[in-house]
Amino acid sequence: MKIYDPFKEFVRPTTAQGIFSETEVELANRNSGMPLESLDYDVTPIGQHYLLTHFDIPKLSNLDHILSFRGQFSNPYSINLEEIKSLPKKTMAVTLECAGNGRSNVVPRSFSMPWKYGAVGTSEWTGTPLRALIKKAAPKSDVVDISFTGADRGYDSGHEHNFARSLTLKQIEELDVLLVYQMNGIPLLPQHGAPLRVIVPGWYGMASVKWLTEIKALNESFDGYQQTGTYCFRTTRDEPGIPITDIRVKSLMKPPGIPDWTSRKRLVPKGEVSLIGRAWSGGGRKIKKVEVSVNGEWFEAKLYNSNSKYSWIKWALDWDASEGHYILGCRATDNSGQTQPDTQVFDVGGFANNAIQQIEIFVR
Ligand SMILES: Nc1nc2c(c(=O)[nH]1)N[C@H]1C(S)=C(S)[C@@H](COP(=O)(O)O)O[C@H]1N2
Ligand SMILES: [Mo]
């Protein structure tokens, strides 16, 4: 039997709709999603927040951890966690969503983490604004990109690298980027990036580098694999693609009633049913409207405010359910007029799928 050695020759696996391979199941075990009933919370309890880790979770020590500023800075320096904690503190509620959320529903499916709906969650992130630290390092005048490198290393599609992403100075100026060491009021857990991670509010999760060790100023465009090889919208494999940035408008419903253990279909008692869920958009855009569909008929939901411009909001609708079989869905519209599509436009990597969720219920 031929041994497949992905470190020598990368073969891109094909997928079949509705059939998931053992490797995809293993990825789905490592990278758990938020249970949809957790849509009940403004702030997702830590153990219910989704996880996406490409390589291995590095074992790092809070005591020894050092963040280094290198490359084209006039004042490169290193700083430890205690020093970072003594800087001005900021806590922000931010909804994080993986760009691969919904990938399983894109046909044909890209062979990667097979998310359904759960790669989203909202946390109270505490840290210090990145802007001031970069300013102190003083990027030289020809700097075009700032890269952020994590301690985790591995292979993706034949490329060996540490997980790393970049932002331009202008993006750092405009995006309220935080260097984070606490999640929901407690120190970051190893799987969420301890001791130190980046949070880029309003962007898909890939920008929020975990296990941050190095910030580097570059006088040419950053071309790391996680920036240019993946996380780009593509209609064919070979095109350079369009970099993925801010989150598309989206909403999800907390599945009503009770589930069947394996099929996850729902049984709902007839009468008044309170349908609730969350809606969010990227780039600090506000949600203007959420509509709920019951077998294709639309009703407008009530919206609740959030005190953070980067956090999802709650929506609710009371529905008088009569006996029957239903498909429920919800659709958010943001203040730029963007709304969710019925079906997703194809993307090679299955990224940023914000098509309307479908929940199958039986009312008795
Ligand atoms: N160093 C590092 N940072 C990373 C990743 C990673 O694999 N390594 N995954 C990214 C992706 S794709 C997402 S969606 C978020 C997930 O953050 P969470 O696991 O804390 O929810 O982290 C991002 N930061
Ligand atoms: Mo992600």
Side-chain angles (χ1 to χ4, degrees):
M1 199 177 84
K2 190 177 182 298
I3 293 171
Y4 170 48
D5 178 349
F7 308 106
K8 282 201 176 137
E9 181 200 15
F10 174 72
V11 180
R12 191 172 299 284
T14 52
T15 58
Q17 195 182 354
I19 300 168
F20 292 84
S21 69
E22 205 166 319
T23 318
E24 286 174 300
V25 172
E26 271 179 35
L27 283 175
N29 277 258
R30 286 187 58 82
N31 297 290
S32 50
M34 180 188 72
L36 292 185
E37 60 272 29
S38 308
L39 288 163
D40 236 344
Y41 297 93
D42 289 329
V43 175
T44 312
I46 288 181
Q48 292 169 48
H49 194 277
Y50 84 92
L51 284 172
L52 195 291
T53 297
H54 291 81
F55 307 136
D56 290 347
I57 298 170
K59 186 169 181 247
L60 303 174
S61 146
N62 283 7
L63 292 176
D64 310 334
H65 195 71
I66 287 171
L67 170 65
S68 300
F69 290 76
R70 297 208 179 96
Q72 303 303 309
F73 287 117
S74 300
N75 177 38
Y77 64 97
S78 292
I79 185 166
N80 68 28
L81 192 61
E82 280 315 302
E83 292 165 325
I84 291 175
K85 283 185 181 166
S86 71
L87 297 172
K89 222 181 231 183
K90 190 172 174 186
T91 298
M92 264 199 283
V94 175
T95 297
L96 212 60
E97 183 181 11
C98 180
N101 201 15
R103 172 179 289 123
S104 288
N105 302 333
V106 177
V107 182
R109 178 175 84 256
S110 168
F111 193 91
S112 182
M113 172 59 201
W115 291 117
K116 293 289 281 185
Y117 296 110
V120 64
T122 298
S123 307
E124 301 256 8
W125 303 100
T126 301
T128 193
L130 174 73
R131 223 180 272 135
L133 284 111
I134 300 274
K135 207 169 165 201
K136 182 183 165 196
K140 293 181 180 167
S141 61
D142 59 349
V143 166
V144 293
D145 274 340
I146 304 283
S147 68
F148 302 86
T149 304
D152 50 329
R153 188 171 185 83
Y155 267 72
D156 188 347
S157 310
H159 302 271
E160 183 178 349
H161 60 284
N162 281 56
F163 187 94
R165 292 277 311 177
S166 71
L167 293 169
T168 63
L169 285 173
K170 187 162 176 271
Q171 287 164 342
I172 290 168
E173 200 53 51
E174 291 169 356
L175 289 173
D176 291 324
V177 184
L178 267 192
L179 274 188
V180 162
Y181 46 81
Q182 276 184 11
M183 184 179 182
N184 295 0
I186 66 162
L188 277 180
L189 295 178
Q191 59 271 40
H192 286 296
L196 195 61
R197 77 175 299 171
V198 180
I199 288 292
V200 181
W203 279 36
Y204 281 110
M206 72 279 149
S208 295
V209 176
K210 304 193 275 192
W211 312 296
L212 184 68
T213 57
E214 184 189 85
I215 296 182
K216 196 168 176 184
L218 306 166
N219 54 16
E220 51 191 30
S221 290
F222 178 68
D223 66 351
Y225 185 77
Q226 302 292 336
Q227 191 81 24
T228 57
T230 182
Y231 294 116
C232 291
F233 290 117
R234 293 184 170 114
T235 48
T236 63
R237 282 263 167 227
D238 311 319
E239 60 195 82
I242 299 161
I244 294 171
T245 58
D246 54 324
I247 300 174
R248 286 180 176 162
V249 64
K250 194 160 173 177
S251 61
L252 288 174
M253 184 186 299
K254 178 191 169 190
I258 55 170
D260 169 51
W261 156 227
T262 55
S263 70
R264 306 314 293 179
K265 294 186 186 199
R266 319 285 308 182
L267 185 64
V268 176
K270 69 176 179 200
E272 184 97 328
V273 182
S274 165
L275 300 174
I276 67 142
R278 304 274 161 184
W280 63 94
S281 189
R285 291 181 292 275
K286 272 187 108 133
I287 296 299
K288 266 190 73 175
K289 185 167 73 173
V290 174
E291 298 150 289
V292 172
S293 96
V294 178
N295 282 354
E297 194 186 342
W298 292 94
F299 303 91
E300 196 162 330
K302 176 181 160 139
L303 305 187
Y304 296 80
N305 277 332
S306 146
N307 43 23
S308 164
K309 86 187 229 207
Y310 298 112
S311 162
W312 59 22
I313 61 159
K314 181 181 170 175
W315 59 260
L317 177 79
D318 289 332
W319 172 49
D320 189 14
S322 50
E323 216 159 293
H325 171 246
Y326 299 89
I327 303 294
L328 305 180
C330 50
R331 174 172 70 195
T333 304
D334 70 19
N335 64 1
S336 75
Q338 299 289 316
T339 191
Q340 297 180 243
D342 292 329
T343 49
Q344 197 62 11
V345 180
F346 175 72
D347 174 72
V348 168
F351 288 122
N353 183 356
N354 67 338
I356 297 165
Q357 175 194 19
Q358 297 200 334
I359 300 178
E360 186 178 353
I361 67 164
F362 295 84
V363 175
R364 307 248 160 91

